[in-house]
Amino acid sequence: MSALSSGATLVLGGARSGKSRFAEKLVTDCGLERHYVATGRAWDDEMRDRIEKHRSDRGALWTTHEVPLDLVGQLSSIDREDRAILVDCLTLWVTNLMIEERDIPAEFIALVNYLPQAKARIMLVSNEVGLGIVSENRMARDFRDHAGRLHQMIAAIAADVYFVAAGLPLKMKG
């Protein structure tokens, strides 16, 4: 694994694929101050347990920011050249935007426009959800479509793109 390059990096993978662990390692290896932007919300006990486990696994060397909606605002407030910022994960952010009935295309464009000007090294983790069966309900299909569009937009501007399966990263770009 090489150090995180300048510019945004996108790490995609399925559930429990090892994508977060891989992204955390890239950030750790670059030697910069570590910031973790968590987009998940603790809607139930199981999610609270997952969030706590992630927090515990990362340890004290990370500064955590819990940001369910204003991702660009948070990134701009902590953006410095001596920092690496890991956003985990974009698909939870998309879920939050959908639940809150936000202007999803505008939020995506704001993020895509922000990333190239960022001073920090930014790592974005997301679930690849377009490889499975087509869901029978509209909300799930809309979610899949939003995530797919966002992934394409981020991948187009990212310096590096990885796909992780079974803990093994495949470099797709960079």
Side-chain angles (χ1 to χ4, degrees):
M1 249 179 269
S2 62
L4 183 59
S5 67
S6 60
T9 298
L10 177 62
V11 177
L12 296 168
R16 296 289 177 233
S17 63
K19 64 191 172 299
S20 293
R21 183 174 44 250
F22 174 73
E24 289 169 13
K25 174 95 169 88
L26 285 179
V27 169
T28 299
D29 288 351
C30 77
L32 299 173
E33 183 181 311
R34 303 174 212 167
H35 286 257
Y36 189 95
V37 176
T39 61
R41 288 177 163 170
W43 297 106
D44 57 28
D45 289 339
E46 186 267 340
M47 191 62 173
R48 267 187 284 285
D49 290 345
R50 280 179 181 255
I51 289 170
E52 187 51 45
K53 178 168 180 8
H54 270 276
R55 194 176 290 136
S56 174
D57 288 349
R58 279 193 308 276
L61 296 176
W62 291 79
T63 301
T64 300
H65 311 270
E66 295 185 7
V67 184
L69 293 169
D70 188 15
L71 186 53
V72 173
Q74 181 62 50
L75 290 173
S76 65
S77 74
I78 60 174
D79 188 12
R80 291 192 345 213
E81 289 178 2
D82 63 337
R83 292 182 173 168
I85 302 168
L86 193 156
V87 177
D88 199 354
C89 82
L90 291 178
T91 43
L92 287 174
W93 180 58
V94 170
T95 299
N96 295 333
L97 294 174
M98 289 178 71
I99 289 169
E100 299 293 330
E101 298 181 359
R102 300 288 283 262
D103 183 345
I104 293 171
E107 296 279 353
F108 288 3
I109 289 167
L111 178 59
V112 169
N113 287 340
Y114 180 77
L115 291 173
Q117 69 182 357
K119 297 176 203 92
R121 295 186 182 174
I122 299 180
M123 172 78 55
L124 302 139
V125 175
S126 199
N127 289 290
E128 177 50 65
V129 296
L131 298 174
I133 61 171
V134 176
S135 179
E136 77 285 351
N137 74 72
R138 177 166 182 152
M139 184 175 186
R141 288 189 305 272
D142 287 347
F143 169 77
R144 178 209 55 208
D145 293 348
H146 288 311
R149 284 186 201 101
L150 178 59
H151 294 160
Q152 289 181 58
M153 293 169 74
I154 299 292
I157 62 153
D160 299 298
V161 178
Y162 293 90
F163 185 81
V164 180
L168 302 172
L170 170 65
K171 191 164 194 178
M172 300 173 70
K173 179 181 177 184

